């Protein structure tokens, strides 16, 4: 493909394009197909795209095939990969909650134009509450949280559900990321939910919630730290668990 004349290159494309999905899902074919993308003209890109479009979900869920879509994102211009973003938005939950699909969705976020990012974030944030509780979906939300432009919107979608999310395995990791990424206003709003009513007493003893509180202590500004410690102190001698001992050490530091 690199050295052959255009006519021979077109003959190769004609032979490979109809079977590109099969090749991409093959251990040996995957790398070769990705390499071909560098040498395609616009018409040849369209030939590959025509084969890929009806098989996106197959590629998204395949351990090898997903790299073809990632190579599309890296190699082609934004208009040529718009069909991937459209498909992602139509099937957001199914893709984001798949062990391979979640990685491709994160790469879509990385390579998106401003318009594509807006398009994808609108759907992801709308499903944030479902995704944070999923073993793979939570990684997509954490990836979005690192995009400072959308941090507030993600946290806003989770507010009013913080105590419940703190006490769950996967979503508690997301709340910890929220605490690290939040601006002071949204940090305070998260902590307010954690410490309201009987939530703090429960979370101090919870196998996941206690780590959220430890993260809050680590991430807090001095005034926020002092306010949170004041809320915790009444439970210091009441709760006798290994979790509380770790929290005590955080406070004493």
């Amino acid at each position: 493909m690199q050295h052959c004349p255009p006519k021979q290159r077109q003959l190769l494309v004609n032979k490979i394009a109809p079977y590109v999905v099969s090749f991409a899902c093959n251990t040996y074919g995957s790398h070769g197909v990705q390499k071909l993308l560098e040498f395609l003209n616009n018409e040849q890109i369209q030939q590959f795209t025509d084969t890929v479009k009806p098989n996106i979900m197959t590629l998204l869920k395949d351990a090898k095939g997903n790299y073809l879509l990632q190579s599309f994102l890296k190699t082609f211009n934004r208009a040529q990969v718009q069909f991937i973003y459209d498909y992602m938005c139509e099937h957001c939950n199914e893709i984001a909650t798949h062990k391979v699909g979640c990685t491709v969705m994160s790469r879509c976020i990385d390579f998106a134009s401003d318009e594509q990012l807006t398009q994808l974030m609108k759907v992801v944030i709308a499903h944030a509450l479902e995704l944070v509780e999923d073993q793979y979906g939570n990684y997509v939300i954490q990836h979005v949280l690192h995009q400072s432009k959308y941090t507030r919107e993600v946290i806003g979608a989770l507010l009013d559900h913080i105590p419940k999310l703190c006490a769950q395995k996967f979503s508690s990791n997301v709340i910890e990321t929220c605490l690290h990424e939040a601006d002071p206003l949204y940090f305070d709003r998260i902590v307010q939910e954690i410490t309201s009513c009987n939530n703090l007493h429960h979370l101090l003893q919870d196998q996941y919630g206690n780590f959220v509180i430890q993260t809050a202590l680590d991430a807090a500004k001095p005034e926020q730290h002092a306010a949170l410690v004041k809320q915790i102190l009444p439970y210091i001698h009441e709760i006798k668990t290994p979790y509380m001992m770790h929290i005590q050490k955080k406070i004493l530091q």
Side-chain angles (χ1 to χ4, degrees):
M1 287 294 287
Q2 184 174 2
H3 299 290
C4 66
K7 285 186 178 180
Q8 290 181 338
R9 184 177 297 149
Q10 186 62 56
L11 286 172
L12 285 170
V13 170
N14 292 344
K15 291 288 186 182
I16 294 169
Y19 307 102
V20 67
V21 174
S22 297
F23 293 149
C25 296
N26 179 274
T27 301
Y28 303 107
S30 177
H31 180 72
V33 169
Q34 292 174 60
K35 192 67 177 175
L36 293 180
L37 303 184
E38 300 173 18
F39 307 105
L40 302 180
N41 61 34
N42 288 337
E43 290 75 18
Q44 292 162 346
I45 290 171
Q46 190 59 51
Q47 283 182 260
F48 273 60
T49 300
D50 289 342
T51 304
V52 166
K53 269 186 178 180
N55 298 283
I56 297 182
M57 191 63 80
T58 298
L59 292 167
L60 280 167
K61 293 184 175 182
D62 188 85
K64 298 294 181 184
N66 80 91
Y67 288 107
L68 178 62
L69 294 177
Q70 292 193 48
S71 292
F72 268 48
L73 293 168
K74 293 175 186 175
T75 308
F76 301 154
N77 68 46
R78 297 307 87 198
Q80 290 167 330
V81 297
Q82 181 60 42
F83 74 97
I84 299 177
Y85 287 91
D86 293 339
Y87 194 87
M88 285 277 180
C89 291
E90 291 173 15
H91 304 274
C92 175
N93 270 26
E94 184 176 356
I95 297 166
T97 57
H98 187 270
K99 63 181 178 180
V100 178
C102 68
T103 301
V104 184
M105 184 164 282
S106 294
R107 295 294 78 75
C108 280
I109 292 168
D110 293 338
F111 289 104
S113 66
D114 289 343
E115 293 78 9
Q116 288 166 338
L117 188 60
T118 299
Q119 176 191 10
L120 189 54
M121 288 303 95
K122 183 178 179 181
V123 180
V124 170
I125 292 169
H127 292 279
L129 272 174
E130 302 160 63
L131 296 179
V132 295
E133 297 184 40
D134 183 80
Q135 61 180 325
Y136 304 117
N138 82 90
Y139 291 116
V140 174
I141 297 300
Q142 290 189 65
H143 195 74
V144 175
L145 282 166
H146 295 304
Q147 302 273 337
S148 58
K149 184 177 178 181
Y150 292 95
T151 300
R152 274 192 164 205
E153 290 185 49
V154 174
I155 296 175
L158 304 181
L159 290 174
D160 298 325
H161 304 275
I162 299 296
K164 173 190 170 186
L165 299 176
C166 288
Q168 296 180 6
K169 182 177 181 179
F170 304 115
S171 54
S172 65
N173 294 325
V174 178
I175 301 304
E176 289 186 58
T177 303
C178 288
L179 288 165
H180 282 298
E181 299 295 335
D183 60 30
L185 174 62
Y186 275 72
F187 183 96
D188 285 342
R189 293 184 68 178
I190 295 170
V191 171
Q192 185 178 6
E193 285 195 39
I194 291 173
T195 56
S196 64
C197 301
N198 198 40
N199 293 329
L200 183 58
H201 184 270
H202 170 70
L203 293 173
L204 285 167
Q205 303 173 78
D206 184 80
Q207 61 178 327
Y208 304 118
N210 83 92
F211 288 110
V212 176
I213 293 171
Q214 290 184 53
T215 298
L217 288 166
D218 288 336
K221 298 289 190 293
E223 288 184 7
Q224 295 168 326
H225 186 276
L228 183 55
V229 169
K230 186 177 180 180
Q231 297 267 16
I232 295 171
L233 283 177
Y235 302 106
I236 287 286
H237 299 295
E238 177 187 338
I239 300 173
K240 304 295 183 182
T241 66
Y243 306 136
M244 196 58 166
M245 291 176 62
H246 290 297
I247 291 169
Q248 286 179 19
K249 288 179 182 178
K250 291 277 183 187
I251 292 172
L252 293 173
Q253 289 172 357

